[in-house]
């Protein structure tokens, strides 16, 4: 389990990759990447009150991924595998 709170992360390439059963919490943060903001592979990610931006995609939820998003802004396309779960818990903006 890992918790990013009040962080500003700017990365060339993919910013964060959560995989292998990891549980990640991103709150009150800004993540910007030249690739994908957050890649989720068979992990659980909670995003709240944050900005996620990616030139390739804001997030990529691959097979087995579970995302819970609330009160956040996503810049860039969002990608989701048919076997991934993304729960929009309200208050999100998709740009």
């Amino acid at each position: 389990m890992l918790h990013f709170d009040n962080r500003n992360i700017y990365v060339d390439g993919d910013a964060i990759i959560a995989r292998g059963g990891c549980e990640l919490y991103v709150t009150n943060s800004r993540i910007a990447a030249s690739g994908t903001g957050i890649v989720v592979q068979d992990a659980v990610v909670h995003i709240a009150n944050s900005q996620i931006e990616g030139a390739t995609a804001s997030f990529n939820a691959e097979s087995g991924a579970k995302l819970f998003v609330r009160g956040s802004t996503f810049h860039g396309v969002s990608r989701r595998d048919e076997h991934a779960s993304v729960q929009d818990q309200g208050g999100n903006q998709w740009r």
Side-chain angles (χ1 to χ4, degrees), residues 28-59:
N28 308 307
S29 298
R30 181 162 196 265
I31 298 170
S34 65
T36 301
I38 298 179
V39 178
V40 186
Q41 304 168 336
D42 192 29
V44 178
V45 175
H46 303 263
I47 301 170
N49 304 319
S50 297
Q51 292 182 6
I52 311 298
E53 180 178 346
T56 305
S58 55
F59 67 81

Side-chain angles (χ1 to χ4, degrees), residues 6-75:
N6 200 28
R7 302 288 180 182
N8 292 313
I9 300 172
Y10 303 92
V11 177
D12 285 330
D14 297 338
I16 295 175
I17 300 173
R19 63 179 162 211
C22 173
E23 186 163 1
L24 172 66
Y25 291 83
V26 178
T27 55
N28 308 307
S29 298
R30 181 162 196 265
I31 298 170
S34 65
T36 301
I38 298 179
V39 178
V40 186
Q41 304 168 336
D42 192 29
V44 178
V45 175
H46 303 263
I47 301 170
N49 304 319
S50 297
Q51 292 182 6
I52 311 298
E53 180 178 346
T56 305
S58 55
F59 67 81
N60 184 7
E62 298 182 8
S63 183
K66 292 182 182 176
L67 268 80
F68 301 90
V69 296
R70 165 177 83 252
S72 297
T73 302
F74 297 89
H75 295 275

